[in-house]
Amino acid sequence: MNHMDLVASSAQTAATDDLDVLREIEQRVLWLSTAMIDHANRVRPNPTGLKVGGHQASSASIVSIMTSLWFECLTAGDRVSVKPHASPVLHAINYLLGELDASYLTTLRQFGGLQSYPSRTKDPDPADYSTGSVGIGATAPIWGALARRYVEAHFGGAGTGRQYSLLGDAELDEGACWEAVLDPQVAELGEVVWVVDFNRQSLDRVVPNMGGTRLQGMFAAAGWQVLTVKYGRLLEELFARPGGEVLRARIDRMSNPEYQRLLRCDAVELRARLTGTYASLPGADPGIIAGLLAGVDEATLHAAIRNLGGHDLSALREAFAAIDDTRPTVIFAYTVKGYGLASEGHPQNHSSLLTADQLHALAARVGADPARPWTPFPDGSPAALRCADTAWRLRRTPPPPQDVPDVPEDFGRTPHGTATTQAALGRTLFDLTRQAPAAGARVVTVSPDVSSSTNLGGWLNKVGVWATDERRNWFDDDSETILHWRERPTGRHIELGIAETNLVGLLGELGATWSRWGQPLLPIGVVYDPFVERALEPWSFGIYAGGQSILVGTPSGVSLGPEGGAHQSIKTPSIGIEQPGCTAYEPAFALDLEWCLLASLARLGRPGGRSAYLRLSTRPVDQALANIPADPAARELRRRQVVAGAYPLRRHESPVVTIAAMGAVVTEALAAAARLGELGVGADVVCLTSPGLVFEGIRGRGGHGDAPTWILDSVFPARRATPIVTVADGHPHTLAFLAGVHQVPGTHLGVSEFGQSGSIDDVYRYHGLDTDSIVAAALDLAD
């Protein structure tokens, strides 16, 4: 043997030995993830008898993919979103890498233990992305890539790295995936890699018409690199033999259920199904497959039929090495749900559990001890060394946190004339960049193609549009063009296509940069308020995952008179009140908006921070009605009350009734109070800016939570307790709880039916928000 042959032989031996180590780790990950779920369901005491759950089969299908990715491919700069049902696999890998103590392996789905699905904020071990809502976690790395690029362009320190998404094939049913894939900016993100665990099963069945070719074409049409890992080495070797192309065609043309049925067959039945009446192919001799398989022993045939590419470590290695970093990539890795378990291939194995005997059989096959299920690899063993090397390679140095620059509480100006809260948004952002440029530089705005219609045009002209590269503005010399679309890496507004799901997905990731790279941003997303409901799930999930941001819904309510119908939001005030991790505001006046926005910005980008939702209006309101105190101390008290949720707008010397209003309808509340005064009925007027904060104050007063209660005594003192009329441009139950502050009678006006087109006067009258309706309700209570 010459020198070159010796080198080649040595390299081949090394590669074989390396794969053997990887297979040992792969089998241990399979065991740990399976045993975790078994312990949670069969070993840990469960006095209630309620189902604990877990997904042994879903975890098993992705074990090889995750083993290959973590122990061969990942770098410290990479981030990975793991499909929800594979959380035990992630915990198993983190345990082997020393990132999770063994004591946690018995706590899956236990209070205070490992979460059901990967969580950045609740799990004790690292999870780059929170997942759990299918389609939302899958798309998060796209928005993470955009957020990383934005931070790197403006502040540096975000480094490089791929953004991987490991998703089940059924997740591709979710529209959120395709809304993200089709956004024009995504085709530029070469660091994005999706790996589809293509097991062709859903919760209840084998999906008969899940066509890989069709899905591949859809990604390719969107500009993605498409890689397919369909068959493993055993099958490829059979296909290379005489007659192998006929066998390949036979398997390729099978429906998904027919192929899956083969996994449940013994060798005799398997040969019969591959070569019998089921196997007729146009123009092919049915004996060709039989002749090919005649030389294959039962064990090899049994292993080959389940030797799909997603379980072949060398095939996965080649696929990961082929990634083109100039465009996003999707890898379709064909797998078997439940691979390596007794339940593999069963159409209802989604939540099935191995029996005790099956678990012991698995332990015997992979070299584990059921009596000591969490035993680590022996010190100094090749597998232990590989785990240690991987842990060292993936170790991240936490970035030094950057403090958020101080955000002013009050710019000191008092708006005059007529204004809308929507227009005040852009004005406040201008003032912030002028009076607090360090804080203003951290502001990034996002909208789904509604910048001009939500009054962000002036802001956008000032700060520019963010893009990865500078692009020529072909309309910069057009004198009739008011909105100047200057795209450059220094821009601070990001414009997406018309997809609210994408907007809030990006918003969540922009709001997480403080914890990922130590660079806090102050992200503000603007969307039409009726469409907040469309974006609700990913928005909520972004908050759950630690993304701190401000969502602005504007225009809102039936105050958007002529639009009518479903364009007039009704339920969104309730959403703001009920959303965890979020403070909701609906300011009535421009200065209220300024104070609420500044307070919300000051809560972002830090440990313990909090998101906000601002519901704004296009209704012009006379700013003199705000009656801003001239005395500095009184003005500061008003500001604190506005930020805390409510303030007294008018006090009568002898109140008989209280009118509590929110947002633009405060105008009608004040007019009603004036009319009531002419009738000899004294009326206090209270302006609610955040019903949620006031409600939390009530809970705090009752010992439920630690919310401050001073706002109740300040705005609703017991000595002024009277029957109350509440008025909201939204569902009436939004403010109905206020009657419980002092247990007084109440009437609650609002919108509980779909809107109508018309003038504001007509629409308010139709919904009972007009001055006459408020006066009538107050007189009824005063009697």
Side-chain angles (χ1 to χ4, degrees), residues 50-186:
L50 294 175
K51 174 187 173 184
V52 175
H55 303 87
Q56 291 177 333
S58 294
S59 293
S61 72
I62 203 169
V63 162
S64 305
I65 294 170
M66 292 180 66
T67 300
S68 178
L69 185 60
W70 258 263
F71 291 91
E72 284 200 298
C73 302
L74 287 184
T75 70
D78 297 335
R79 298 290 190 275
V80 188
S81 171
V82 177
K83 75 171 188 174
H85 292 160
S87 65
V89 182
L90 178 61
H91 297 313
I93 290 174
N94 281 336
Y95 167 64
L96 292 177
L97 297 181
E99 297 283 359
L100 182 68
D101 189 80
S103 62
Y104 279 104
L105 299 180
T106 61
T107 68
L108 181 67
R109 299 190 171 212
Q110 176 180 297
F111 185 80
L114 300 177
Q115 300 300 297
S116 302
Y117 311 116
S119 172
R120 285 191 75 222
T121 56
K122 293 183 178 295
D123 270 321
D125 55 331
D128 292 329
Y129 290 97
S130 296
T131 60
S133 181
V134 292
I136 305 305
T139 59
I142 287 177
W143 315 124
L146 276 174
R148 187 202 64 77
R149 288 196 180 200
Y150 184 92
V151 167
E152 185 64 25
H154 286 79
F155 307 106
T160 59
R162 288 176 179 166
Q163 298 278 342
Y164 289 91
S165 180
L166 309 181
L167 63 156
D169 48 15
E171 285 195 77
L172 294 178
D173 291 346
E174 289 288 348
C177 290
W178 299 107
E179 288 183 357
V181 167
L182 294 175
D183 191 273
Q185 295 197 59
V186 173

Side-chain angles (χ1 to χ4, degrees), residues 143-160 191 399-400 402 441-442 444 466-468 489-492 494 506 509-523:
W143 315 124
L146 276 174
R148 187 202 64 77
R149 288 196 180 200
Y150 184 92
V151 167
E152 185 64 25
H154 286 79
F155 307 106
T160 59
E191 63 267 47
Q402 301 290 323
R442 297 280 170 173
V444 52
W466 180 78
T468 54
T490 57
R492 283 158 50 198
I494 302 177
L506 176 56
E509 289 306 316
L510 291 169
T513 59
W514 66 274
S515 59
R516 292 196 191 281
W517 301 292
Q519 290 288 358
L521 296 176
L522 306 178

Side-chain angles (χ1 to χ4, degrees), residues 209-223:
N209 299 315
M210 182 176 283
T213 302
R214 175 176 57 86
L215 292 170
Q216 292 158 11
M218 293 167 69
F219 277 97

Side-chain angles (χ1 to χ4, degrees), residues 393-423:
R393 168 169 48 87
L394 299 182
R395 184 169 291 122
R396 297 171 183 165
T397 301
Q402 301 290 323
D403 292 333
V404 184
D406 290 337
V407 176
E409 294 180 333
D410 186 353
F411 293 139
R413 62 180 179 84
T414 301
H416 300 285
T418 299
T420 73
T421 52
Q422 176 177 285

Side-chain angles (χ1 to χ4, degrees), residues 174-492:
E174 289 288 348
C177 290
W178 299 107
E179 288 183 357
V181 167
L182 294 175
D183 191 273
Q185 295 197 59
V186 173
E188 301 175 355
L189 302 177
E191 63 267 47
V192 169
V193 180
W194 283 17
V195 185
V196 181
D197 177 7
F198 205 66
N199 60 44
R200 295 166 285 179
Q201 271 191 252
S202 63
L203 190 151
D204 294 322
R205 59 176 181 151
V206 179
V207 182
N209 299 315
M210 182 176 283
T213 302
R214 175 176 57 86
L215 292 170
Q216 292 158 11
M218 293 167 69
F219 277 97
W224 289 50
Q225 177 192 25
V226 180
L227 302 174
T228 302
V229 190
K230 189 169 186 180
Y231 299 121
R233 291 292 174 265
L234 279 176
L235 272 176
E236 291 290 357
E237 288 172 4
L238 286 180
F239 297 155
R241 298 183 186 182
E245 286 306 311
V246 178
L247 178 61
R248 182 194 292 271
R250 166 80 178 100
I251 296 176
D252 279 344
R253 296 182 188 183
M254 285 181 184
S255 68
N256 295 335
E258 182 185 357
Y259 174 80
Q260 202 89 341
R261 182 64 182 87
L262 298 179
L263 304 175
R264 311 294 297 171
C265 298
D266 59 27
V268 174
E269 187 179 1
L270 181 55
R271 290 178 193 274
R273 286 179 177 269
L274 285 171
T275 61
T277 56
Y278 296 102
S280 58
L281 290 172
D285 182 350
I288 293 177
I289 297 177
L292 170 63
L293 297 184
V296 180
D297 63 76
E298 291 188 359
T300 301
L301 180 60
H302 182 272
I305 201 62
R306 53 199 19 87
N307 178 227
L308 298 182
H311 302 300
D312 190 294
L313 293 171
S314 55
L316 289 167
R317 173 185 289 170
E318 292 177 5
F320 287 126
I323 293 172
D324 174 9
D325 287 324
T326 66
R327 54 182 171 152
T329 296
V330 60
I331 300 174
F332 285 89
Y334 281 70
T335 61
V336 173
K337 194 166 183 175
Y339 182 75
L341 305 181
S343 60
E344 66 180 3
H346 193 285
Q348 282 88 49
N349 65 6
H350 183 77
S351 297
S352 65
L353 296 170
L354 298 187
T355 65
D357 289 342
Q358 290 169 339
L359 188 73
H360 279 73
L362 174 64
R365 181 166 63 79
V366 302
D369 182 358
R372 300 172 62 240
W374 323 122
T375 302
F377 290 119
D379 290 342
S381 66
L385 293 174
R386 185 58 169 267
C387 291
D389 289 344
T390 300
W392 178 261
R393 168 169 48 87
L394 299 182
R395 184 169 291 122
R396 297 171 183 165
T397 301
Q402 301 290 323
D403 292 333
V404 184
D406 290 337
V407 176
E409 294 180 333
D410 186 353
F411 293 139
R413 62 180 179 84
T414 301
H416 300 285
T418 299
T420 73
T421 52
Q422 176 177 285
L425 172 67
R427 174 64 183 270
T428 303
L429 292 178
F430 271 124
D431 287 345
L432 181 65
T433 58
R434 184 172 61 252
Q435 297 198 27
R442 297 280 170 173
V443 173
V444 52
T445 56
V446 189
S447 71
D449 197 40
V450 294
S451 298
S452 56
S453 58
T454 55
N455 283 105
L456 280 183
W459 160 261
L460 190 148
N461 286 342
K462 179 177 177 62
V463 303
V465 178
W466 180 78
T468 54
D469 300 296
E470 186 150 356
R471 298 168 183 169
R472 180 170 179 177
N473 176 16
W474 289 96
F475 291 88
D476 59 359
D477 57 352
D478 186 340
S479 60
E480 296 183 5
T481 300
I482 299 175
L483 185 64
H484 302 295
W485 206 258
R486 301 187 180 98
E487 297 179 272
R488 51 185 182 254
T490 57
R492 283 158 50 198

Side-chain angles (χ1 to χ4, degrees), residues 418-424 450 452-455 526-530 552-563 567-569 586-588 615-623 663-665 729 760 764:
T418 299
T420 73
T421 52
Q422 176 177 285
V450 294
S452 56
S453 58
T454 55
N455 283 105
V526 182
V527 64
Y528 286 170
D529 194 66
V552 177
T554 184
S556 67
V558 299
S559 296
L560 186 64
E563 292 286 346
H567 269 66
Q568 297 174 342
S569 53
E586 183 168 348
R615 189 174 188 254
L616 308 185
S617 175
T618 50
R619 182 186 176 186
V621 173
D622 180 2
Q623 299 303 298
V665 292
D729 187 357
I760 287 182
Y764 278 11

